[in-house]
Amino acid sequence: MPDGDQRWSAVDDYISDHLIGEDAIQQETLEANRKAGLPAIDVSAAQGKMLQLLAKGVGAKRILEIGTLGGYSTIWLARALPENGIVVTLELEESYAQIARTNISKTGLDDKVEIIVGEAIATLSALVHKGTDPFDFVFIDADKQNYAPYLEHAIRLSRPGATLIFDNVVREGEILNPESDDPKVPGTRALYEVLQNHPKVDATAVQTVGSKKWDGFLLAITR
């Protein structure tokens, strides 16, 4: 039996084999991302399916995603939508967005996905300013230094009772270390600090292990 990280990945494979099965479209998505040189920071298949089921379970019709990358998690989320649903996904890099468009076009989900390219804080502010329809579900998996500002924008852009999920909130335990040399830790810790006794959201977080090593998700519900 493999130890440590190898065993965690083996369990992820077991889960995928039994509960998800072969997913040729998403395998092609990951391969396209790899060939394009995108960082291999997508959620795992088990995590992607979890996001899909959570979004479907709350009946999400409008989903906001911050951090498109190559569209892997976007596809999982789009699969949760009803006929008239939409994922609005934000990506800083135009080159990444173009890869995501190509990947999504192969799924037949083009009409369910809108990719907006640009700096996310500016895009979110613009969405607030124009009074866009509120979102039911928000998935945030982008630059960690802006996690706290992303939270406040997500609250403004969501209906009461909306589900917010943040990825990478444990960082192999480094959130315990205020002196961490991981530049992504201060922003993650700031998210926890802002959420502590926040008047507009109720939140928790869970640690995860698997092919993405030791990390975690944070789940919040807007009031």
Side-chain angles (χ1 to χ4, degrees), residues 9-50:
S9 295
V11 171
D12 262 4
D13 291 342
Y14 180 88
I15 291 169
S16 294
D17 289 346
H18 284 78
L19 302 181
I20 301 173
E22 186 72 22
D23 192 331
I25 288 175
Q26 287 291 56
Q27 287 299 321
E28 186 175 346
T29 298
L30 291 177
E31 180 62 15
N33 292 350
R34 186 191 67 77
K35 288 181 178 178
L38 270 63
I41 55 174
D42 308 273
V43 296
S44 69
Q47 292 167 343
K49 184 63 178 287
M50 182 196 71

Side-chain angles (χ1 to χ4, degrees), residues 113-188:
V113 178
E114 177 186 359
I115 301 175
I116 303 177
V117 178
E119 197 273 328
I121 295 292
T123 301
L124 293 166
S125 297
L127 291 173
V128 171
H129 181 71
K130 78 173 187 179
T132 191
D133 290 340
F135 293 96
D136 309 300
F137 190 98
V138 182
F139 177 51
I140 301 172
D141 187 11
D143 52 313
K144 314 312 175 194
Q145 64 267 31
N146 281 316
Y147 262 19
Y150 290 158
L151 169 69
E152 297 302 336
H153 280 88
I155 293 169
R156 295 187 189 99
L157 288 164
S158 299
R159 63 167 175 81
T163 299
L164 316 180
I165 295 182
F166 290 77
D167 195 10
N168 308 125
V169 297
V170 173
R171 311 211 64 83
E172 301 199 0
E174 278 295 285
I175 55 164
L176 297 177
N177 181 9
E179 306 300 326
S180 174
D181 59 5
D182 180 345
K184 298 176 181 178
V185 168
T188 308

Side-chain angles (χ1 to χ4, degrees), residues 33 38-39 41-42 64-74 87-101 103-104 113-124 127 139-144 150:
N33 292 350
L38 270 63
I41 55 174
D42 308 273
L64 173 65
E65 178 183 47
I66 305 176
T68 314
L69 196 61
Y72 183 75
S73 56
T74 315
V87 177
V88 177
T89 181
L90 313 186
E91 175 52 51
L92 176 64
E93 302 290 343
E94 173 58 44
S95 59
Y96 291 3
Q98 187 53 54
I99 294 163
R101 291 187 191 100
N103 289 333
I104 293 165
V113 178
E114 177 186 359
I115 301 175
I116 303 177
V117 178
E119 197 273 328
I121 295 292
T123 301
L124 293 166
L127 291 173
F139 177 51
I140 301 172
D141 187 11
D143 52 313
K144 314 312 175 194
Y150 290 158

